[in-house]
Amino acid sequence: MMDPPADSSSIDSPLANSGSIQCPRPMSDYPRVVMAHGGGGRMTQELLEHVFLRALDNPALNEREDAALLKPMHGRWAFSTDAYVVQPLFFPGGCIGDLAIHGTVNDLAMRGAKPLAISAAFILEEGLDIETLKSIVDAMATAAKRVGVSVVAGDTKVVEKGHGDGCYIATSGIGEVREGIDLSIRHAKPGDAIVINGNLGDHGMAILSHRAGMQFASPIVSDTAPLYELVAAMLGTCPEVRCLRDPTRGGAAAALYEIASAAKVGIELDEAAIPVHAAVHSACELFGLDPLAVANEGKVIAIVPDGSVDRVLHAMKSHQLGQYATRIGRVVADASHRVVMRTRLGTVRMIPIPVGEQLPRIC
Amino acid sequence: MMDPPADSSSIDSPLANSGSIQCPRPMSDYPRVVMAHGGGGRMTQELLEHVFLRALDNPALNEREDAALLKPMHGRWAFSTDAYVVQPLFFPGGCIGDLAIHGTVNDLAMRGAKPLAISAAFILEEGLDIETLKSIVDAMATAAKRVGVSVVAGDTKVVEKGHGDGCYIATSGIGEVREGIDLSIRHAKPGDAIVINGNLGDHGMAILSHRAGMQFASPIVSDTAPLYELVAAMLGTCPEVRCLRDPTRGGAAAALYEIASAAKVGIELDEAAIPVHAAVHSACELFGLDPLAVANEGKVIAIVPDGSVDRVLHAMKSHQLGQYATRIGRVVADASHRVVMRTRLGTVRMIPIPVGEQLPRIC
């Protein structure tokens, strides 16, 4: 912390006494974020100490330099970024804080990269309760600790009341890529199997039903979770996995269309094999949504050679986040790069390409 | 680009025809950002192609994977992040786009790190003109090209009209630290000299006078610029530089107080040596601001051993951004870690610690 100005009786100090700049009250006297918290002066430092460093404490961040300095990495590395604007800030199963950590960890994991360092940039709205901000930052700290990664760099800006939604967060992450791993959505091949680690649509429907004030017999809870450990188990057993994709915005449909397009293949899903929580299924029916197009925040779609499926599923099931892992379809040759569903009745229907916004602001 | 759905006459495709999801009009029919551009579906892909990939084109970004995969680095690396919420989005001398690139490049440069890769996360407000967004992204591309760095990862979210200010950007950067360089604000020592590469206060006063609609005989233009090349010239000649700091929010005063506090020293500036553009000086007098507390976006404060000053200044002056480099003061022993000014009259006055927000939303 910056030292307060010492007794200035011995020096000529007109500005310090001018009244235009005064010592701030202690942090506890500001229950809400004010514009001055974004000004780069002492109040920014106070917010840094009382909210951010308190929770995210680590040597690189504590140095308070313009950039964190980090140890050499070996081999290839991955770099990813995401902005988070989810509303509400707190939802069943998580909040914008852990979501922002998990999301960036997961984007790295999809390239087979172990998260090494995360940065977090905050855009706070004037008036946000400091206690709310503390809860968000605490959730980030807990999520980062669970993954064994540190938030080593950060920034905070404040915008006037009405020009934000409490808190937006942008996280970026750096990860070290496991040796011998070469995951790319271009690598999917006809004949490959498609597996997933559990139910589809939980995150999006948790947010939507929470917003709508709906209650179900069994509550819908976001699946937000960090996937690196699960991915490490999968790649440890089966380094020949072709690619991984986390089906977030746009859901599994968007992720599968991206794979189909990049690898120039088709995708065929088995309707009977798609795992969807009963409450999510009901909620989707109510809202007229397809669970395949609803966002997930703790799911990974893996494309694996057909002969490796059993090993991959076994590895997935050994991890808590993979206990409901299952095969949901296959990669096929299709010059039109479609994603289709083989229904329970044996017919085939095309899955539409998600176009726009079924559920705004879900991450 | 994702392929459009092919003729679906041969398959049962109820959802594709349900009317709830329709093919979007071509991009050109959307002159403004709509919520669907943030939905992760085809419209997000269109925005990505028509606006982002068009300008920022590079192999890592073009891969469109969840994270960019990058070549091995050697040695230590630096990681930094910043959020940008400047208003207006365009100002004399720059815009939020080049500012976001320069800011992150400069934070890396302050650790002696050569920028290798940048990520950019956008939070767009519904209704933003696509042409405005294109201009911002084009400015980012030009700025990145000038520095020789690529934007390798990105994300776009859209918030409802009224919940943003057109465009917020968070950039993160990774840089490789020059060998043999160890810059830290803790390293300043009594007897060291303080140098700067030019006039103070240009950025903040450019924004403020633009907002106020003021005109001066010579217009005030932001100094936003990338400092890595200048820093490389300085460190090439004088690797013993103790530390570098870019005096952004809070101005030189905040930067110098951070150095004084971290290194447990005092700072003494020479009033007659502080370079301030005449128009900035006038504007500061009008608004009652101290140029020392006004933000810069293309300035570097360097603390150097006294015996190295001439070499450092010579190296700085050989670079366009350092042609007005000058010595502005010295590090002194002071148990109270004050920043003081030796005035033209020979008296000493204390520089106040910037507390809050003189000029909101300047970066």
Side-chain angles (χ1 to χ4, degrees):
Chain A
M1 176 162 172
M2 275 196 253
D3 292 301
D7 172 16
S8 60
S9 57
S10 63
I11 55 173
D12 173 28
S13 180
L15 273 181
N17 302 322
S18 70
S20 68
I21 295 180
Q22 300 182 339
C23 278
R25 291 165 290 180
M27 183 71 190
S28 54
D29 277 6
Y30 287 94
R32 296 201 173 77
V33 170
V34 297
M35 291 305 290
H37 283 129
R42 191 148 93 189
M43 290 191 57
T44 302
Q45 296 292 325
E46 285 188 4
L47 192 71
L48 182 63
E49 283 152 21
H50 288 87
V51 176
F52 295 103
L53 294 181
R54 184 188 54 82
L56 301 170
D57 174 66
N58 65 74
L61 193 63
N62 295 349
E63 274 191 350
R64 304 207 205 173
E65 301 273 2
D66 282 323
L69 214 60
L70 297 153
K71 283 184 300 189
M73 282 187 285
H74 305 288
R76 294 164 307 154
W77 49 285
F79 188 25
S80 183
T81 195
D82 266 313
Y84 293 88
V85 299
V86 65
Q87 278 293 317
L89 297 174
F90 295 82
F91 47 81
C95 73
I96 191 172
D98 42 31
L99 189 68
I101 297 291
H102 295 158
T104 285
V105 164
N106 292 351
D107 279 346
L108 295 173
M110 296 307 112
R111 301 306 299 271
K114 178 180 178 168
L116 287 185
I118 285 182
S119 70
F122 293 82
I123 298 174
L124 306 179
E125 185 185 15
E126 183 185 21
L128 175 67
D129 279 338
I130 296 283
E131 285 306 316
T132 302
L133 178 60
K134 277 188 180 172
S135 299
I136 290 168
V137 176
D138 287 351
M140 294 183 84
T142 303
K145 199 169 178 182
R146 177 175 171 194
V147 183
V149 69
S150 294
V151 177
V152 300
D155 185 42
T156 307
K157 294 283 157 54
V158 179
V159 296
E160 297 86 351
K161 201 164 175 61
H163 294 265
D165 261 316
C167 176
Y168 301 145
I169 304 176
T171 47
S172 296
I174 298 175
E176 208 164 4
V177 180
R178 292 170 66 95
E179 220 165 315
I181 297 300
D182 182 20
L183 302 169
S184 165
I185 52 173
R186 285 171 174 72
H187 294 172
K189 287 186 177 53
D192 287 348
I194 302 167
V195 303
I196 191 156
N197 61 318
N199 289 331
L200 281 173
D202 291 1
H203 177 74
M205 294 320 291
I207 300 272
L208 186 59
S209 49
H210 184 65
R211 281 189 200 150
M214 291 169 59
Q215 297 199 331
F216 295 90
S218 59
I220 304 179
V221 174
S222 167
D223 59 344
T224 178
L227 294 167
Y228 176 70
E229 266 192 15
L230 173 66
V231 165
M234 294 163 70
L235 297 178
T237 303
C238 186
E240 68 272 25
V241 166
R242 311 274 197 210
C243 72
L244 303 172
R245 197 82 170 182
D246 56 336
T248 55
R249 276 184 299 177
L256 291 168
Y257 265 109
E258 282 165 31
I259 294 170
S261 169
K264 305 190 191 310
V265 295
I267 303 275
E268 195 177 274
L269 301 175
D270 295 317
E271 188 175 30
I274 307 287
V276 180
H277 189 284
V280 170
H281 185 80
S282 306
C284 280
E285 296 232 312
L286 266 168
F287 289 107
L289 298 172
D290 183 344
L292 279 175
V294 176
N296 313 273
E297 291 290 344
K299 292 298 175 306
V300 51
I301 291 174
I303 310 284
V304 299
D306 189 65
S308 310
V309 176
D310 292 341
R311 262 184 303 131
V312 167
L313 287 175
H314 184 76
M316 292 171 85
K317 288 178 179 174
S318 69
H319 191 278
Q320 187 237 327
L321 293 175
Q323 53 184 311
Y324 302 112
T326 187
R327 177 181 187 141
I328 58 170
R330 66 203 65 81
V331 179
V332 296
D334 177 0
S336 304
H337 316 154
R338 285 171 295 200
V339 178
V340 302
M341 179 83 91
R342 189 164 291 277
T343 68
R344 285 187 176 84
L345 302 173
T347 60
V348 171
R349 68 172 172 91
M350 200 174 82
I351 303 295
I353 299 182
V355 172
E357 189 78 55
Q358 279 197 322
L359 303 170
R361 311 281 301 272
I362 42 112
C363 61
Chain B
M1 176 161 176
M2 276 196 251
D3 292 298
D7 173 15
S8 60
S9 57
S10 63
I11 55 173
D12 173 27
S13 179
L15 274 180
N17 301 323
S18 70
S20 67
I21 296 179
Q22 298 182 342
C23 277
R25 291 164 291 180
M27 184 71 192
S28 55
D29 278 4
Y30 288 95
R32 297 202 171 77
V33 169
V34 297
M35 291 304 292
H37 283 130
R42 191 149 93 188
M43 290 191 58
T44 301
Q45 297 290 326
E46 283 187 5
L47 192 71
L48 181 65
E49 281 152 23
H50 292 260
V51 177
F52 296 104
L53 294 181
R54 183 190 54 83
L56 300 170
D57 174 64
N58 65 74
L61 193 64
N62 295 349
E63 275 193 347
R64 303 207 205 174
E65 301 273 0
D66 282 322
L69 215 59
L70 298 153
K71 282 183 302 187
M73 281 188 284
H74 304 288
R76 295 164 307 152
W77 48 286
F79 187 25
S80 183
T81 194
D82 266 312
Y84 294 87
V85 298
V86 66
Q87 279 293 313
L89 296 175
F90 295 81
F91 48 82
C95 73
I96 192 171
D98 42 31
L99 190 68
I101 297 291
H102 295 159
T104 285
V105 164
N106 292 352
D107 279 346
L108 295 173
M110 296 306 112
R111 302 304 300 270
K114 179 181 181 168
L116 287 185
I118 285 182
S119 70
F122 294 81
I123 297 173
L124 306 178
E125 185 184 15
E126 183 186 20
L128 175 69
D129 278 339
I130 296 282
E131 285 306 317
T132 302
L133 179 59
K134 276 187 180 171
S135 299
I136 291 168
V137 175
D138 287 351
M140 293 183 84
T142 303
K145 199 169 180 184
R146 176 175 171 194
V147 183
V149 69
S150 294
V151 177
V152 299
D155 186 41
T156 306
K157 295 283 156 55
V158 179
V159 296
E160 299 85 351
K161 202 166 174 59
H163 294 268
D165 261 313
C167 176
Y168 301 144
I169 305 178
T171 47
S172 297
I174 299 175
E176 207 164 7
V177 180
R178 292 171 65 95
E179 220 165 314
I181 297 300
D182 182 19
L183 302 170
S184 165
I185 52 172
R186 285 171 176 72
H187 295 171
K189 287 184 179 52
D192 287 349
I194 303 167
V195 303
I196 192 157
N197 62 317
N199 288 331
L200 282 173
D202 291 2
H203 178 74
M205 294 319 292
I207 301 271
L208 186 60
S209 49
H210 186 64
R211 280 189 202 153
M214 291 169 61
Q215 296 199 334
F216 296 91
S218 60
I220 304 178
V221 175
S222 168
D223 59 343
T224 179
L227 294 167
Y228 176 70
E229 266 192 16
L230 173 65
V231 165
M234 295 163 69
L235 297 178
T237 304
C238 185
E240 67 274 24
V241 166
R242 311 273 197 210
C243 72
L244 303 172
R245 197 82 169 183
D246 57 336
T248 54
R249 277 185 300 178
L256 290 170
Y257 265 109
E258 283 166 28
I259 293 170
S261 169
K264 304 191 191 311
V265 296
I267 304 274
E268 195 176 273
L269 302 174
D270 295 317
E271 189 175 29
I274 306 287
V276 180
H277 189 284
V280 170
H281 185 79
S282 306
C284 279
E285 295 232 314
L286 266 170
F287 288 109
L289 298 172
D290 183 345
L292 281 174
V294 176
N296 312 274
E297 291 290 344
K299 292 300 174 304
V300 51
I301 291 174
I303 310 283
V304 299
D306 188 66
S308 310
V309 175
D310 292 342
R311 261 185 303 134
V312 168
L313 286 176
H314 184 77
M316 291 170 85
K317 288 177 178 174
S318 69
H319 191 279
Q320 186 238 328
L321 293 175
Q323 54 184 313
Y324 301 113
T326 187
R327 176 182 187 142
I328 57 170
R330 67 203 66 82
V331 179
V332 295
D334 177 359
S336 303
H337 316 153
R338 284 170 296 201
V339 178
V340 302
M341 179 83 93
R342 190 165 290 277
T343 68
R344 286 186 176 85
L345 303 174
T347 59
V348 172
R349 67 172 172 91
M350 200 172 82
I351 303 295
I353 300 182
V355 171
E357 188 78 57
Q358 281 196 319
L359 304 170
R361 312 277 303 271
I362 41 111
C363 62

